[in-house]
Amino acid sequence: MSKPFSRRDFIRMSAMGAGAAVLSIGLMGCNDSSSGPANKKGATTNEPLIGVGFQHGIASGDPLSDRVIIWTKVTPKTTVDKLTVSWEVAEDEGFTKLVTNGETETTADRDFTVKVDAGGLSANATYYYRFHSNGVSSAIGRMRTLPEGSVAMVKLAAISCSNYPAGYFNVLAEIAKQDDLNAVLHLGDYIYEYADGGYASEEAKAMGRVVEPIHELLTLADYRMRYAQYRLDADMQLFHSRLPIIPVWDDHEIANDTWREGAENHQSEEGEFEQRKMAAIQAYFEWLPIRPLVEGNNETIYRSFKFGDLVDLHMLDTRLIGRDQQLDYANYLGADGSFNASAFMADVGDPNRTMMGAEQFEWLKGQLTTSVATWQVLGQQTLMGNMSLPASLITQQISLNDFSELAYIAQLAQQAQVDPSSLTAAQLLFLEANQQRLTADAMQLLQSPKIPYNLDAWDGYAYEREVLLATAKQNNANLVVLSGDTHNAWANDLRLRSGGHVGVEFAVASVSSPGMEVYLGVKPENEPGMVQLVDDLKYTNLTNRGYMMITFTPDTAVSEWLYCSTVKSKQYEMLTDRQHRLMVKVNTNTLISA
């Protein structure tokens, strides 16, 4: 294991530039992009370093109206202390119209990564960029700045949960084909921390996607190696070369179900959690094209992006900076299996429980209060909608398939009592053949109380969610929440407990991580039943991997869910029959068909 480092060491390293960006705002004089590497004593040699390359590709991110972060990693094949890397940004792909360029040094202390905050750019413009080192050039990347002033349309994509051993990144290859996106939001779980043979690895060997390192990620070297493996993926490289991303982390960039002081997937024998978290954060900032809210503080990633007068996007951290530990249903079960509902409701509604932390929450309230944009958009990790399901489903006393069938039989039975003539002949035959399944035990399962199915989501922090929604309501915000994490697609109306509509939520399926089709055995035909079970749920896809495209105009916000037929093969097609669109009109805060 690498030598542990303290929080103080981390802050000192952040201030010194670990994962920080070099500022570039204009053209410099001629520079020698083929200069040799530094030797072990720090002197520069004139001999070319054989094997220097940009094998991990390039990337851009955190676009503003006048600047974009550009990123690369240089790979030396011999031992050196530092490398000189230059960059160019131009208006054209042939680099005849240079806008900014420069050079810097990168070292092993930052994993030979390079981040440049390329400024001096024009708003709503497309640019091209590349890097050079030791006579070798990177691929050419394309990026786009944000618009200013009066804006007629903003188009974003959203993704989440890119799990390398679970399948190919076909979803990223599809997004790379889009030419009209302003940016792509990565809503967390860019990598997964598990060892070989861990979560969703059953077919990894057959697909040639066994993780590196093969053990669980604990140290800075471990996290760096896993990022490096992801960034060797051809579809990941193509995706990053074509579009700027706006990322936030979720839990798997550190460990499963991370909270402020620990994680479900961190045990005491694995060392200090704080050291592991800081190592993971450093690797994240080295490998992702992201700038912190405050330079030198890589723990604070909540930040805002303005798309002219149309959209204000607020990227949140609902995972690391402030989150209290998740509640656990096991703590409310008695020895006889009874559930202490009153204790649970008191804890889930505790006003002191937080996902965001007080400082971030005050920042967000300030953003919502002062914004004058038409749409207020939250990019964040976990589901915000109220996703309460019958307790019998959550405790797995009954499968969703069986529950849906029993509920249908019960519905027919009730309808037969009220108005038998309303049933078709086929329905009457079905009821006659199945009515005996409505036993007392079955009815008890159907009538079990509804409770939140995921306490790692906003349902486990209900009081803070209510305050957030009330703040949006008070400021007459047209609120759109974009969420990831669950591996399935959802669309929710967001309402206060008093019943007033506040906004809508569009939640994206995963890039490759399996969803309910694997761990609950659900099928597409179960999806309408799920929508009926959850009060404010308007749409779900429980079986497919894909992404969202969200288009904002002054009148509407439209989400379109798109899905790949498989992630287990490089041969796939887009599932046009599973594509779905919903929208919200300005000043309505309710979902309707698009």
Side-chain angles (χ1 to χ4, degrees):
M1 295 177 65
S2 61
K3 180 182 177 181
F5 56 94
S6 67
R7 179 183 179 88
R8 181 175 297 178
D9 292 332
F10 175 79
I11 293 174
R12 176 179 56 82
M13 291 180 69
S14 295
M16 291 171 60
V22 179
L23 184 63
S24 176
I25 57 174
L27 293 172
M28 62 177 289
C30 295
N31 63 85
D32 183 4
S33 63
S34 61
S35 58
N39 63 25
K40 291 185 178 182
K41 294 183 180 180
T44 300
T45 72
N46 292 318
E47 298 179 2
L49 180 62
I50 297 174
V52 163
F54 297 91
Q55 66 192 64
H56 295 91
I58 54 177
S60 66
D62 272 18
L64 302 177
S65 62
D66 65 342
R67 64 188 59 246
V68 185
I69 297 284
I70 58 175
W71 176 97
T72 194
K73 173 181 164 62
V74 191
T75 304
K77 295 298 179 68
T78 60
T79 303
V80 295
D81 286 341
K82 56 187 176 182
L83 292 169
T84 300
V85 182
S86 62
W87 65 84
E88 297 173 303
V89 177
E91 296 178 4
D92 64 312
E93 203 165 0
F95 289 85
T96 62
K97 299 178 181 179
L98 286 182
V99 177
T100 184
N101 64 352
E103 70 176 28
T104 189
E105 290 180 338
T106 185
T107 68
D109 286 340
R110 56 186 300 148
D111 207 15
F112 289 104
T113 59
V114 177
K115 284 167 69 172
V116 178
D117 202 347
L121 310 181
S122 299
N124 200 32
T126 298
Y127 292 93
Y128 299 87
Y129 63 98
R130 64 185 177 186
F131 298 87
H132 310 280
S133 182
N134 209 62
V136 178
S137 298
S138 72
I140 296 173
R142 182 187 69 182
M143 61 187 184
R144 185 176 177 182
T145 53
L146 302 190
E148 285 184 333
S150 179
V151 176
M153 179 181 292
V154 168
K155 193 171 185 180
L156 304 172
I159 54 176
S160 180
C161 305
S162 42
N163 190 349
Y164 188 87
Y168 298 106
F169 293 156
N170 298 335
V171 171
L172 301 186
E174 281 300 311
I175 298 177
K177 297 176 183 179
Q178 307 298 323
D179 291 324
D180 58 347
L181 294 173
N182 292 92
V184 179
L185 312 188
H186 199 299
L187 300 176
D189 293 343
Y190 187 97
I191 64 168
Y192 281 70
E193 83 282 11
Y194 295 111
D196 177 32
Y199 171 69
S201 296
E202 296 81 5
E203 300 175 65
K205 186 174 182 180
M207 292 186 292
R209 295 178 79 81
V210 174
V211 292
E212 297 176 355
I214 61 171
H215 55 265
E216 185 179 326
L217 308 184
L218 293 173
T219 70
L220 177 58
D222 293 340
Y223 285 99
R224 283 171 167 175
M225 184 179 292
R226 188 65 58 86
Y227 278 105
Q229 181 182 36
Y230 272 58
R231 294 296 272 273
L232 287 173
D233 183 274
D235 291 328
M236 177 75 83
Q237 289 196 14
L238 177 64
F239 162 74
H240 275 300
S241 72
R242 303 300 292 165
L243 297 158
I245 69 167
I246 300 176
V248 286
W249 53 50
D250 195 18
D251 53 343
H252 290 291
E253 286 89 349
I254 300 91
N256 183 54
D257 284 358
T258 294
W259 58 287
R260 186 177 63 252
E261 298 177 4
E264 179 276 333
N265 193 27
H266 183 83
Q267 289 71 47
S268 58
E269 62 268 21
E270 293 174 325
E272 293 287 338
F273 176 74
E274 187 75 5
Q275 294 172 356
R276 180 181 187 176
K277 182 177 79 170
M278 293 304 179
I281 289 174
Q282 180 174 336
Y284 185 89
F285 265 84
E286 288 172 348
W287 281 84
L288 272 292
I290 179 177
R291 68 170 68 82
L293 179 69
V294 179
E295 193 62 52
N297 177 8
N298 289 352
E299 285 187 88
T300 303
I301 64 167
Y302 58 84
R303 60 211 193 280
S304 290
F305 298 84
K306 298 187 71 67
F307 296 76
D309 63 355
L310 187 59
V311 172
D312 276 358
L313 168 67
H314 313 295
M315 301 296 285
L316 308 183
D317 177 2
T318 63
R319 183 59 66 180
L320 284 185
I321 198 168
R323 178 194 279 254
D324 290 322
Q325 187 171 10
Q326 299 88 340
L327 299 177
D328 187 340
Y329 278 120
N331 295 330
Y332 303 92
L333 293 176
D336 60 352
S338 61
F339 181 70
N340 190 338
S342 60
F344 171 76
M345 294 306 297
D347 288 345
V348 79
D350 184 349
N352 295 313
R353 282 182 57 74
T354 179
M355 285 186 81
M356 298 173 59
E359 183 176 331
Q360 180 181 193
F361 197 85
E362 288 303 313
W363 166 85
L364 178 59
K365 287 198 292 185
Q367 297 296 307
L368 295 175
T369 300
T370 59
S371 174
V372 295
T374 301
W375 298 99
Q376 299 299 307
V377 182
L378 307 185
Q380 51 95 57
Q381 296 82 344
T382 56
L383 276 180
M384 186 171 288
N386 187 335
M387 297 293 294
S388 293
L389 293 171
S392 57
L393 279 174
I394 294 173
T395 56
Q396 298 186 7
Q397 295 173 271
I398 185 173
S399 71
L400 181 59
N401 295 337
D402 290 342
F403 190 99
S404 298
E405 286 186 4
L406 286 174
Y408 180 61
I409 297 167
Q411 177 187 346
L412 291 180
Q414 183 180 21
Q415 192 173 344
Q417 287 183 339
V418 176
D419 183 11
S421 64
S422 66
L423 296 177
T424 65
Q427 288 174 326
L428 287 169
L429 286 173
F430 180 81
L431 178 60
E432 182 178 354
N434 290 277
Q435 191 160 7
Q436 74 278 4
R437 294 173 60 186
L438 296 178
T439 64
D441 288 342
M443 293 305 295
Q444 185 174 1
L445 293 174
L446 286 177
Q447 294 166 4
S448 62
K450 289 186 177 182
I451 57 177
Y453 99 93
N454 183 4
L455 296 179
D456 187 53
W458 280 92
D459 271 338
Y461 304 80
Y463 181 86
E464 187 174 56
R465 174 178 61 190
E466 193 74 4
V467 176
L468 191 160
L469 294 179
T471 302
K473 182 81 169 178
Q474 181 180 2
N475 288 282
N476 297 313
N478 287 294
L479 182 68
V480 175
V481 178
L482 306 178
S483 308
D485 183 57
T486 68
H487 310 167
N488 295 116
W490 313 88
N492 289 297
D493 282 334
L494 299 175
R495 292 191 298 169
L496 294 168
R497 288 185 178 179
S498 61
H501 286 269
V502 179
V504 302
E505 177 177 40
F506 300 133
V508 67
S510 65
V511 170
S512 58
S513 289
M516 284 190 179
E517 79 283 1
V518 170
Y519 52 85
L520 284 183
V522 300
K523 302 174 183 178
E525 52 263 34
N526 300 135
E527 292 163 1
M530 178 67 81
V531 172
Q532 289 181 346
L533 283 173
V534 181
D535 294 339
D536 293 323
L537 181 63
K538 303 304 178 186
Y539 164 73
T540 187
N541 178 307
L542 303 175
T543 58
N544 300 120
R545 314 280 67 80
Y547 68 103
M548 290 189 308
M549 286 197 299
I550 311 97
T551 303
F552 297 92
T553 69
D555 298 319
T556 62
V558 178
S559 181
E560 183 175 13
W561 288 266
L562 302 105
Y563 305 100
C564 295
S565 59
T566 183
V567 295
K568 301 300 183 181
S569 168
K570 292 298 294 176
Q571 305 301 314
Y572 69 94
E573 58 187 15
M574 296 305 292
L575 297 174
T576 54
D577 61 323
R578 298 286 280 162
Q579 189 173 330
H580 195 79
R581 287 165 56 94
L582 287 174
M583 75 175 180
V584 56
K585 293 183 178 180
V586 70
N587 299 325
T588 64
N589 296 322
T590 55
L591 288 167
I592 59 175
S593 296

